[in-house]
Amino acid sequence: MTRATVLALAIVLGTAGAAIAHDLRPGVLTLTELAPGEYALRFVPPIDSRGDTTQVRIVLPASCTRTADRVRCAGPIAGELGIDGLRGPLKALVVLVRDGERTEWILDADTPRVKIDAPAGLLTWIGLGVSHILAGLDHLAFVIGLLLVLDLAVNRRLLLTITAFTIAHSLTLALAVLGIVSVRAAPVEACIALSVLLVAREALHREPTAIRRWPWLAAGGFGLIHGLGFASALSELGLPSTSLARSLLAFNVGVELGQLAVVVAIVAAVAIARRLIGERWIIGSHVHRAACYVLGAAAAWWLIERVVELACGAR
């Protein structure tokens, strides 16, 4: 190979290397939420192979409009977001959407658009609350245990008890989600299992204990612990930071709706049974005692399992 050929190859490779180095400088489009539906826009265009700015055009979702460095949308940003004018296999654009939920995408000439889904709305969070309480067997077992302690009667004591439980778990749920209170999940879940075991035991007898005299106090006290359990589950879902209060409220509403549905279903079923087969088959019956034993056995299993987790330092 002659010196001229070597020199020519060096020039070509050097030029190609420079071009590649420039092409690897992507653009950056950042949208930072300032308020619901309002975003600050910052755009750094990509650099072409000569080191010049590439002329591109930002494409916003149909529900959004741009004014200088601000973008306003009819609600949370959702739809197709992208760029027109990217050319070449190495040109790229990094898109950042900072609204507490989503992070980043990389666009190029082959994929110039990204589909941004709308964040979960209030109905979604309500649905998650309902599904969580219905799937949370330990929480439901505690509520059912309270109903058994109250002899499945619909009266003022039932209303006060359920209200106390609702207020208490709503309070600690909010405090934990807002970061004011922080407790490890394992001891909380062990205490929840213990609460179910306790109310199942109380429902077996008719002695005038403190829980039977003032069931709303037990519901309120243990409700504080159950709220921390709800918060642990909610932290795994991840609430959006920009609509934290609304999403938290919607989730809690869903929990209450699910809880109320269970209470109403059980009370209605018992009322029908009272009419059809009589009182003696409800309170103090073998069915009543069997329900208490089932709750107690489940709670004992949960307690053993969770104490082992706590001892092993799993969570």
Side-chain angles (χ1 to χ4, degrees), residues 157 207-216:
R157 282 159 56 85
E207 298 173 8
T209 59
I211 290 181
R212 279 196 165 270
R213 288 178 178 176
W214 306 291
W216 51 88

Side-chain angles (χ1 to χ4, degrees), residues 43 45-46 53-58 83-87 91 93:
F43 178 56
T53 299
T54 302
Q55 298 301 313
V56 294
R57 183 177 69 88
I58 299 171
I83 204 82
D84 281 344
L86 288 176
R87 299 289 185 270
K91 289 190 176 66
L93 180 79

